[in-house]
Amino acid sequence: MHNRGRVIVVGAGPVGAVAALAAARRGFAVTLVERNAEVEFDAAPRAATFHPSTLEILDGLAIMPDFLSVGLVCRYFDFWDRPGHALVARMDHDVLRDVTQFPYVVQTEQHKLVRIALERLRKLPDVEILLGWQVDSISQDETGVTVRAANGTAERHITGSWLLGCDGGRSTVRKQLDIEFEGYTWPERFAVLTTRFDFAAAMGCSERSYFADPDQWVNLFKVAGDDLRGRWRVVFAAPADSSDEEVLSDASAKECLAGLHPDAGLGDLVHRNLYNVHQRVAKRFRAGRVFLAGDAAHVNNPIGGLGLNCGIHDAMELVGTLEQAGDDAGAPLLDRYERRRRTVNIEFVQQQTVDNKQRLEEKDPAKRRERLDALRAIADDETRQLAFLRRTSLLDGVQRAQAID
Ligand SMILES: Cc1cc2nc3c(=O)[nH]c(=O)nc-3n(C[C@H](O)[C@H](O)[C@H](O)COP(=O)(O)OP(=O)(O)OC[C@H]3O[C@@H](n4cnc5c(N)ncnc54)[C@H](O)[C@@H]3O)c2cc1C
């Protein structure tokens, strides 16, 4: 018998799906509302790197074996000097072996995490999953919060004790609360080419490799693919003044792939995508009984693979906070959620992702050399590498959040 009240989760992306699962496992009744009826199968290339701090969370939710079965375990990641065709630094997550049970990242498509979480949720009591339903308005008073959801033919009003807005960067929940999304949008868009060409075999690079280049930096990483045979994503910045057609054209794709390896051609290409990139943080993460988590609360460029990881950390902090608060919307600890998660996003995720981008695109030759030398020095010293990886894998971020009252 549940006595914690109902949590309404808007959005079954990875953050909402994990939040719903965590809430249901802790005894909340849960209604999960998602506008995309196919959310478990959404294969658009997005987040793919799950850091040790997040793997600890998935383990706590008892889904690690399932998750590992659909992903790649990656111990190393590289920084390369692209014009010089040279490996600058190889980082080894194994230096984290005394700090975490998971001294590696798992690389896989984010929709697989959604699928695993929803499969688990369907087996838990008092869980309602509404796929194909869009939330378009919310209201709240001292006793609860109500959303209106529609599926094209019908509408429903759902009332709960708490509402978790996990509805992504364009969050309806955030807009309904009139919360400003502070920050900026980068002038350049990011392009993603997905290919079956095996860069590790051809170049000896790790399954996550960052290529610094003042003219065209590249992120290269391998994901499992639905067939588990592996495929590679090539991410690069598209010039701000080029059209979508130009960036996604065969000529442009061919040039980019061949620039990485002469044998990488159009024949292996399976997907092309182009998207806008932002650095933004919501001014508030809470309004009464309503909270923001994941991309609804913060967005950043994907270099370093931190956004989704941070969102999953939000989800766990939020559910833990609600569990402690009981049904008291006046509980002072509710504001601690914002103090912790907003601070950590700014200090760790926004700071690192901007720095990661600048490191790859640095044009000044002296500064460029200095940055690459700094990476070399880190890789050559296990103590410094440990400190570096604690930060890049958000293990330090988790500790910092827990220290905030
Ligand atoms: C190319 C790319 C690569 C990336 N790589 C990484 C990476 O390696 N590591 C990393 O950590 N992050 C990465 N990110 C960022 C990551 O994809 C996002 O941080 C992540 O998707 C956020 O998850 P979310 O659940 O908060 O939001 P979303 O995944 O956007 O999910 C929101 C959900 O809410 C639903 N929804 C929206 N509005 C409504 C509504 N009104 N009613 C009902 N449902 C609604 C949507 O349909 C969607 O399913 C990358 C992003 C991109 C674009």
Side-chain angles (χ1 to χ4, degrees):
M1 188 65 187
H2 289 286
N3 56 11
R4 291 194 198 280
R6 178 165 297 277
V7 169
I8 303 168
V9 181
V10 183
V15 173
V18 166
L21 179 59
R25 281 171 57 90
R26 292 186 191 200
F28 288 96
V30 172
T31 300
L32 176 59
V33 192
E34 164 60 51
R35 74 172 169 209
N36 176 5
E38 304 286 317
V39 71
E40 291 156 275
F41 310 99
D42 179 5
R46 293 185 70 187
T49 303
F50 293 81
H51 290 288
S53 53
T54 307
L55 301 179
E56 290 177 3
I57 289 173
L58 303 186
D59 189 50
L61 294 171
I63 56 176
M64 260 308 266
D66 289 2
F67 190 64
L68 279 171
S69 74
V70 294
L72 307 172
V73 170
C74 302
R75 174 170 162 179
Y76 302 101
F77 73 98
D78 293 355
F79 290 96
W80 288 69
D81 174 7
R82 189 168 175 231
H85 303 283
L87 175 65
V88 172
R90 175 158 293 166
M91 303 298 175
D92 181 358
H93 281 96
D94 197 54
V95 299
L96 296 170
R97 62 191 170 273
D98 296 329
V99 180
T100 175
Q101 206 186 329
F102 305 102
Y104 48 80
V105 302
V106 172
Q107 287 181 196
T108 199
E109 298 84 343
Q110 66 180 49
H111 70 274
K112 293 180 184 166
L113 174 59
V114 171
R115 188 154 71 214
I116 292 167
L118 293 194
E119 275 166 15
R120 289 299 174 96
L121 269 172
R122 290 189 176 103
K123 294 181 184 144
L124 294 174
D126 248 334
V127 172
E128 185 180 30
I129 302 174
L130 301 174
L131 299 183
W133 289 77
Q134 173 156 336
V135 168
D136 54 25
S137 70
I138 62 178
S139 59
Q140 59 175 322
D141 58 26
E142 311 77 58
T143 60
V145 52
T146 299
V147 302
R148 195 192 92 104
N151 72 350
T153 52
E155 72 169 55
R156 283 185 55 175
H157 291 83
I158 305 155
T159 297
S161 303
W162 309 106
L163 174 66
L164 280 46
C166 306
D167 51 343
R170 294 180 183 166
S171 172
T172 300
V173 174
R174 190 187 64 237
K175 287 174 190 160
Q176 284 273 309
L177 297 172
D178 209 14
I179 294 177
E180 200 181 328
F181 210 20
E182 295 177 328
Y184 57 92
T185 298
W186 293 101
E188 68 272 42
R189 294 148 300 157
F190 283 18
V192 189
L193 303 176
T194 306
T195 170
R196 291 207 173 86
F197 183 80
D198 187 348
F199 287 100
M203 299 169 60
C205 64
S206 290
E207 286 156 333
R208 182 161 55 110
S209 292
Y210 300 99
F211 291 78
D213 186 337
D215 296 324
Q216 192 187 65
W217 57 263
V218 173
N219 279 0
L220 191 60
F221 55 97
K222 189 177 181 184
V223 292
D226 279 339
D227 54 10
L228 300 182
R229 286 168 55 205
R231 50 195 58 186
W232 289 75
R233 295 205 191 136
V234 183
V235 183
F236 57 98
D241 55 1
S242 56
S243 69
D244 291 9
E245 292 71 29
E246 278 169 327
V247 178
L248 297 174
S249 68
D250 280 356
S252 157
K254 203 168 160 181
E255 189 185 334
C256 176
L257 292 170
L260 278 170
H261 193 277
D263 295 341
L266 292 178
D268 295 312
L269 204 57
V270 291
H271 196 276
R272 315 170 201 208
N273 194 19
L274 188 60
Y275 59 98
N276 293 315
V277 187
H278 321 268
Q279 303 286 155
R280 293 184 186 275
V281 182
K283 196 160 188 170
R284 290 178 297 138
F285 281 21
R286 176 192 175 209
R289 291 178 172 275
V290 183
F291 298 81
L292 300 177
D295 275 21
H298 44 74
V299 287
N300 52 268
N301 80 65
I303 306 173
L306 296 177
L308 170 58
N309 285 269
C310 185
I312 290 175
H313 299 189
D314 294 346
M316 296 311 294
E317 172 73 27
L318 183 47
V319 171
T321 304
L322 297 180
E323 189 179 28
Q324 284 180 50
D327 193 41
D328 179 8
L333 71 84
L334 291 174
D335 282 331
R336 191 186 63 190
Y337 167 72
E338 175 180 305
R339 283 198 298 278
R340 287 184 169 179
R341 298 311 310 162
R342 192 169 186 278
T343 304
V344 165
N345 187 271
I346 292 168
E347 288 182 0
F348 286 80
V349 176
Q350 299 298 329
Q351 187 278 332
Q352 278 188 75
T353 54
V354 171
D355 190 53
N356 289 343
K357 181 171 179 295
Q358 287 168 347
R359 173 162 46 210
L360 296 188
E361 70 192 8
E362 182 61 63
K363 290 193 189 306
D364 180 280
K367 284 191 194 150
R368 186 167 188 276
R369 200 172 322 111
E370 201 178 300
R371 278 180 172 273
L372 298 183
D373 285 348
L375 288 170
R376 254 182 225 110
I378 291 167
D380 287 347
D381 175 338
E382 186 160 329
T383 308
R384 292 184 66 189
Q385 198 178 152
L386 176 63
F388 183 77
L389 289 176
R390 283 186 60 102
R391 188 166 171 83
T392 59
S393 61
L394 292 178
L395 287 161
D396 280 351
V398 170
Q399 223 169 51
R400 165 81 174 112
Q402 280 162 2
I404 298 173
D405 270 335

